[in-house]
Amino acid sequence: MLGSILTRQYRFATRGFEIGVQTAHQAVGVAGDVVGAVAGRLGLGNGNGHGEPDAFTGEMVPEAETRPQPPEPRRPPPPEPRRAPPPEPRRAPPAPAPPAAPPPAPEPAHVSSEPELVRESAEPGAEEGAGAQIRIDEPWPAYRNLKARDVIARLPFATREELAAVELFELAHANRKSVVVAAQRALKKASPPR
């Protein structure tokens, strides 16, 4: 089936090309006939005057007598135009000298070369190091007193923000697995994929 479709397109293309060639051949024949008729009326015959076969009819045409043409008068060649001298290349301005480096500042006399320890102490609680402290509040009042089944029963009515707060609070504090899983499922339902 596919082969017949492809060959059909090929056949259409080649047939179109053949028609185009035939049309061009006929147009050349008609043009030759018209030129021959015009040449016959003008008394030029069917030839080109050089004893060669006529381009349109293919017949041999005798060579016509040609009159000698007077030679064309020789004209002096035109003077060559004067060319302007090439412009001089532009020179870049000289680069400015780099600014002189300022002299080094003299070292103050009151600075000692060895550091002096003034006091070795720290604020209370700094033993653990510096860091951010995050406090996660309860998602709603009295949340800490609710049992896991009570929290799970309330999740379908919670907003997306409350669901996220429940998940964070549980992960940071009580970490009740059933509440965390229920909060994550509810949050997925409340937040459709984008």
Side-chain angles (χ1 to χ4, degrees):
M1 169 94 178
L2 180 61
S4 66
I5 291 173
L6 294 176
T7 57
R8 184 177 303 146
Q9 291 175 347
Y10 174 75
R11 280 186 267 145
F12 286 146
T14 56
R15 183 66 182 141
F17 180 73
E18 289 173 0
I19 291 172
V21 169
Q22 287 175 356
T23 305
H25 183 67
Q26 289 173 353
V28 169
V30 169
D33 292 343
V34 169
V35 170
V38 171
R41 287 195 180 179
L42 293 176
L44 299 176
N46 283 339
N48 54 14
H50 299 289
E52 298 174 1
D54 185 76
F56 300 107
T57 61
E59 299 174 5
M60 289 293 290
V61 179
E63 225 177 289
E65 291 183 24
T66 58
R67 294 183 189 166
Q69 297 287 334
E72 288 188 27
R74 287 194 162 214
R75 294 183 185 163
E80 289 188 25
R82 291 187 179 178
R83 295 183 182 168
E88 292 184 23
R90 294 185 181 193
R91 293 190 179 113
E107 197 171 305
H110 68 278
V111 176
S112 65
S113 59
E114 291 186 27
E116 180 181 330
L117 183 61
V118 177
R119 184 173 174 195
E120 189 173 323
S121 66
E123 303 255 337
E127 305 87 32
E128 298 172 4
Q133 293 181 355
I134 298 175
R135 191 178 109 217
I136 301 173
D137 290 333
E138 296 179 359
W140 48 79
Y143 178 85
R144 289 181 194 259
N145 300 333
L146 295 175
K147 296 188 183 212
R149 68 173 182 262
D150 297 331
V151 173
I152 293 171
R154 190 170 174 177
L155 291 179
F157 308 105
T159 64
R160 287 179 28 207
E161 291 79 15
E162 288 174 332
L163 292 171
V166 167
E167 181 184 9
L168 285 173
F169 187 82
E170 283 296 327
L171 289 173
H173 295 93
N175 200 14
R176 296 180 281 192
K177 299 286 184 199
S178 60
V179 176
V180 171
V181 169
Q184 289 173 345
R185 281 188 195 144
L187 191 58
K188 283 183 183 178
K189 287 180 185 177
S191 304
R194 294 183 185 188

